[in-house]
Amino acid sequence: MAHKAAEAALERYFGYSSFRPAQEVPVASLLAGQDILAIMPTGAGKSICFQIPALLRQGLTIVFSPLISLMQDQVEGLRLQHIPAAYMNSTLEQDEVVALMRRLRAGQIKLLYLAPERLGSEYFQNFLCDLPISQVIIDEAHCVSQWGHDFRPSYQLIAPFIERLPKRPVIGAFTASATQEVERDMKRLLGLEKARVHITGFDRPNLAFSVVQPSRKLPYVLQFVEAHKDENGVIYCSTRKDVEKIYGELIKHGYEVGYYHAGLSDEVRKLQQERYAYDKVKIMVATSAFGMGIDKSNVRYVLHYQMPRNMESYYQEAGRAGRDGGPAVCVLLYSGRDVMIHKYLINESVHEPARQRIEMTKLQQMINYCFTTECLRKYMLNYFGEQVQWTRCDNCSSCQNKGKLRDLTREAKYIFKAIVDTEERYGAAMIADIVGGNRTDRIVRYGYDRLPVFGVLRDMDDKEIKGLIRQFVSLGYLHCATGKYPILSIEPAGEAVLAGESKVQEVRRQVVTVREEAYRNGSKGAHQVAQKWAQQQGRNGKKSLFDVLREHRKKLSEIKNVPPYLIFPDTVLIDMASMRPRTLADLSNIKGVGDAKLQEFGLSFLAVISQYK
Ligand code: ADP
């Protein structure tokens, strides 16, 4: 159980009446002076886990954070809640630094955010050593590990720095990265051998996952974006070229879009990121370089234009949707080409054989995600080492398509038979010609038009048949040689089908997940939010109260010069719209409305609500 004082502070500053179950352990640990290594998924609410203890403990908390934008975001958020927080990084002018140092010495700051590179300065370390530091937090702690995907050498300066402090503070390390190598490194390199390790469930019930295999991706994207045009979303692409292509298309169709990849200059990237944070553009098209710096809580969808290389990357990127706990959709667009490109890149860029095998296995597990007929959420959680009790979540494309998928056993048998009858000597083109009944010169010359399977799938077109063949390869029924000739052969799973021992089910998911539908039967928590959400979405062209509140928030955000989601997350606006509070007391009952924001913004929101007809 978390401390009474901690709950009171949570209510007062953040407007939340209780900690989430996963937050209780880290909060209690830090308050008790016990080091903690907390591995929690994105959106679990890591920052509050150390911000509340920072407020309650005597002395100063230092928070090491990898990115300037991340620091600024958190500090601005805290300041809006009247919590004395500051950051020190390269964007500050000399006189600002001096002023900040004075405030630190005077004990006027409770949380100081720093980039670890700062520790490179002996002078600065000496300065810090004289401050009453009682807690050191390492955010995105996986950056210390070479195995992590965001290695930052200066994270390794943190442990020796802590050693130097006259009194050892309590240490908390937080990350969403959970592989074992990274965990081992975090313990060793951050001096956390004796820390309590807290790993929470990875489930994000408010996210609706789906895999779609559209015949053409671009039109799909345009249609998707149009269907979600009032919402914030991220479209991830694997290459800069695709980012530019999709960005261009969306601009051409009149959408307000940002774009982001590692090839842009720092200024352009900063500008693009800000435009997105401040809701100046609703859509961000980006490579995986975009994300860690952004804590935007009201991202309603993450669309992957390509399949990522492994499940870790996918879950991290998709997890940037719905941090505020409101419903959000995560759609992955699959195509066989993505697989080929990843295989090629792994072969080209990873040279050590052991590493290459690991990468290929991870890729295969990612492909299996795209093809499984099982619950996608269950598949993912199992992948991350979690056992779950249920078999369906009713909030992913697999669960929603249950019973709607075609049985493909008949088609599979014909195709496999054609491969066997031609002695496993041909690729997809020839096999498709045979079962499709295409009497080419070669087919006539070899007499394949006299095979019993000739023309058995005449009612399907060539593209469809080839699509099926590709699916059967991905599903492991067929093998396709990777050498010069992509020759097909039968795998044991395919033989079982031929022998009548197993069936083949369609896996192609054309269904577009519409949120309202996705949530009608969705997991409990998400269901309620979704209902309110659906009610608040403008119907019949009339602006809903939710929209009006969003506009008001945007205006305030411009006046205050902070991103809208820091003023209030979407979930608070939804509650305002459905509860229609009339007094400050009503308003303070809404989850996420703390004292400072109530005073600062309360009356203006009440006015908007009372004027709405
Ligand atoms: P993480 O860093 O783990 O990705 P954040 O710290 O950004 O997560 O928190 C995600 C969201 O959850 C934020 O909008 C935050 O205000 C909200 N949140 C955190 N703790 C609670 C709580 N106890 N009750 C309700 N909402 C919470």
Side-chain angles (χ1 to χ4, degrees), residues 16 18-20 23 41-48 323 591:
Y16 299 133
S18 57
F19 287 103
R20 293 173 175 157
Q23 293 172 317
T42 310
K46 288 187 278 294
S47 12
I48 280 180
R323 272 169 184 254
K591 229 173 147 178

